[in-house]
Amino acid sequence: MSVKKRKAKMQLIVDLRSDVRSIAGMGLSENQKHFLRVGLALGKDLEPAGPMAGLRA
């Protein structure tokens, strides 16, 4: 999957989850928003790697 497609897919997931949370009356905290923004911007670059990190999903 290309980087553009992955970012678009992740953005769609974030948007859908935020819509569901807003409908349910649960907003995202600023901390959660920050982590989502960083995760979308950097992708898997900063994910832990190695035997102690576990299996990738």
Side-chain angles (χ1 to χ4, degrees):
M1 183 179 286
S2 71
V3 173
K4 276 187 170 182
K5 286 183 181 179
R6 187 175 75 226
K7 282 187 178 184
K9 185 177 180 179
M10 292 300 265
Q11 184 63 46
L12 178 64
I13 291 170
V14 170
D15 291 341
L16 289 174
R17 285 187 180 175
S18 65
D19 289 346
V20 169
R21 284 180 175 264
S22 65
I23 290 170
M26 301 165 34
L28 291 175
S29 70
E30 288 303 315
N31 195 28
Q32 289 171 320
K33 289 178 189 176
H34 171 73
F35 277 104
L36 290 172
R37 273 188 239 112
V38 171
L40 282 173
L42 299 177
K44 294 190 176 196
D45 293 341
L46 295 180
E47 278 192 17
M52 296 296 287
L55 298 175
R56 286 196 169 180

